[in-house]
Amino acid sequence: MARIVVIGAGMGAMTAAARLAVAGHRVVVYERTESYGGALGRVERDGFAFDTGPGLLQLPAVYRDLFLKTGKEPLEKCVELAQVEPAVRHVFADGSTADLPNASRAGVGEALDAALGEGAGARWAAFMNRAREAWDRTRRPLLEEPLWPNWQVLADREPYPAVPHKRLLRRERRATTLAEVGELELGGDPRLVALLEQFALAHGLDPRTTPASAAVLPYLEQTFGTWSVRGGLRALARAVYERCLARRVEFVFGAAVTRIVEKDGRAAGVELADGTAAEADFVVAGVAPTALAGMLPGVDIRSGGDVPARSGMPSRLTVLLALSGARPAGTPLRTVLHSAARQDELDRVFGERPGLPASPTLAVLRPGDPEGTPDDAHEAVTLTVTVPAHLPVGEQEVQRVISRAEGVLPGLRERLLWHEARTPADVAEATGAEGGAVPAPSLAAADGLLLHPSNSTRLPGLLAVGGWAHPGGGLPHAGMSGTLAAGLIVEGPEFRGSQ
């Protein structure tokens, strides 16, 4: 039985802790805040409750596997899941709308034909067939296996089979970025382009520079579906925490780790802010890169063959709305209101003119969850916008986002009881990520710039989990990072991932 210290109580860290405890190890989790869940925060006020992180779940199979492997109770015995139907309503800049069904690629094609005109569904379906090839080529190395030592293979090869376009007296042209996929393969239809690019923007990626391999993002959602959790995703975090407790994982809250102890060339424990120390055979760090670097001053945990350091990720601005009046029947749980000035938006989020776009793409969540409101005569709504990290946000910016939401929430101002905002500074405080940056999932191609460092580090005995380690950001990816780190400890370097 090994002594294992886990730094942080995020979803990747708790996944690793539960799996390691089941394997017979003694696991202690030190969390600097007073609660678990990391980015899966919760705000409760006046009978209203809101998630402050992700509001929907993809690839629930990751957490189903966790619960099956760590106890006899399946996930659905611990939380109530429901497929979202429709998966999303898209409101485009020209006012047209499309309600896309959940986990039905054929249904998506039919919905796009009905909303955008004959042929739109066929163009999207052809793109999704190519996206499936990219998914099949990258699923295991980018989600289910430890990062390959020869990760350059993933960096150099574009897995998306772009369609060649012949040009008179010039070389054929193939899409290399997501924006070029929209231009060359979706007929340049601004609505289909907006639909495609929204998947990148929602993950904090600039479609103008993001490789075509990001086609796996819409494929993942539209093939495997989107799920809501009764009580919000905070209920999922609570279920994982309780599973850890049932497996005898010990949690110490309000305990900031200040240093990782190195002894005889390997991680040997941690020191806490109060001066106490804890010895360990392994340390699992579920913290942001800057925080981890501060715990190892003068120690380079990255080897010469590591992927390039990831930087420049945007943050999120989340506005929580407490409304009087019931949620109207038939209201989609999620609506995406697309920008009328996409280039300005991309320049503001990713370019040299950082700021809140004049017309930001806005995600509106209206869960209709009875646990989120004081009674059925009220509604809790969450607005989310991708914004630059470090962006100072005041009440003026928040009001602009609320005004933007009036386009899909009629009578919003009259119904509004109160609002709260979660800014990049709040994200930074909750997660420790510099500027409140939110990590994106790992993607192939792009010279490795969209990969994340491996779970193993240059310092033996120290492993990394969470959104800033392989396989990157996102709730299912965080869970897989914990699975991979636990596997590397239990089975050693020969571990090759889930089967």
Side-chain angles (χ1 to χ4, degrees), residues 47-142:
F48 290 89
F50 305 84
D51 284 326
T52 57
L56 295 171
L57 176 64
Q58 295 180 342
L59 282 184
V62 172
Y63 291 94
R64 290 189 178 119
D65 183 71
L66 170 67
F67 277 73
L68 288 174
K69 297 291 176 56
T70 59
K72 296 182 179 180
E73 272 191 317
L75 175 62
E76 278 81 357
K77 286 286 187 179
C78 302
V79 294
E80 184 179 327
L81 299 178
Q83 275 197 290
V84 177
E85 196 61 62
V88 59
R89 169 174 292 171
H90 287 274
V91 180
F92 298 103
D94 66 354
S96 58
T97 65
D99 286 2
L100 304 186
N102 203 342
S104 172
R105 289 177 50 198
V108 167
E110 294 171 2
L112 290 175
D113 274 340
L116 308 184
E118 192 71 28
R123 289 194 296 274
W124 185 261
F127 157 69
M128 289 295 283
N129 286 337
R130 294 186 291 274
R132 180 186 60 198
E133 291 190 44
W135 170 258
D136 289 342
R137 293 169 181 172
T138 61
R139 174 181 60 87
R140 283 196 60 81
L142 284 186

Side-chain angles (χ1 to χ4, degrees), residues 227-440:
W227 303 73
S228 64
V229 179
R230 184 182 177 94
L233 287 186
R234 181 65 180 177
L236 176 62
R238 182 174 62 250
V240 175
Y241 169 66
E242 291 174 350
R243 177 54 54 90
C244 286
L245 293 179
R247 300 286 81 83
R248 300 184 184 278
V249 174
E250 180 184 350
F251 285 80
V252 183
F253 293 106
V257 173
T258 56
R259 188 170 78 92
I260 295 172
V261 177
E262 181 187 5
K263 183 178 180 181
D264 298 328
R266 65 173 289 118
V270 299
E271 289 185 358
L272 306 178
D274 63 5
T276 60
E279 295 183 351
D281 300 295
F282 292 92
V283 175
V284 177
V287 298
T290 51
L292 183 58
M295 296 173 189
L296 283 162
V299 177
D300 182 12
I301 63 169
R302 297 172 55 83
S303 66
D306 277 342
V307 300
R310 195 139 184 200
S311 61
M313 296 303 300
S315 185
R316 304 286 185 272
L317 169 59
T318 303
V319 182
L320 316 175
L321 306 178
L323 305 181
S324 62
R327 176 178 181 264
T331 298
L333 191 155
R334 177 171 54 138
T335 297
V336 175
L337 180 61
H338 289 270
S339 174
R342 178 55 57 85
Q343 291 306 311
D344 173 74
E345 177 175 39
L346 298 179
D347 287 343
R348 293 286 183 180
V349 177
F350 303 102
E352 297 180 356
R353 299 185 297 124
L356 179 68
S359 171
T361 296
L362 180 67
V364 181
L365 287 187
R366 306 178 72 177
D369 185 346
E371 296 189 17
T373 57
D375 52 48
D376 59 8
H378 294 84
E379 184 180 9
V381 177
T382 301
L383 314 177
T384 305
V385 178
T386 300
V387 297
H390 299 282
L391 182 70
V393 174
E395 185 59 22
Q396 181 178 359
E397 287 77 17
V398 172
Q399 289 298 326
R400 284 173 55 193
V401 171
I402 295 175
S403 295
R404 175 88 170 124
E406 292 182 272
V408 292
L409 287 165
L412 170 58
R413 293 290 181 178
E414 292 74 21
R415 297 180 60 198
L416 184 60
L417 301 175
W418 53 263
H419 69 273
E420 288 190 16
R422 289 295 177 269
T423 69
D426 295 316
V427 176
E429 175 63 25
T431 67
E434 185 176 1
V438 178

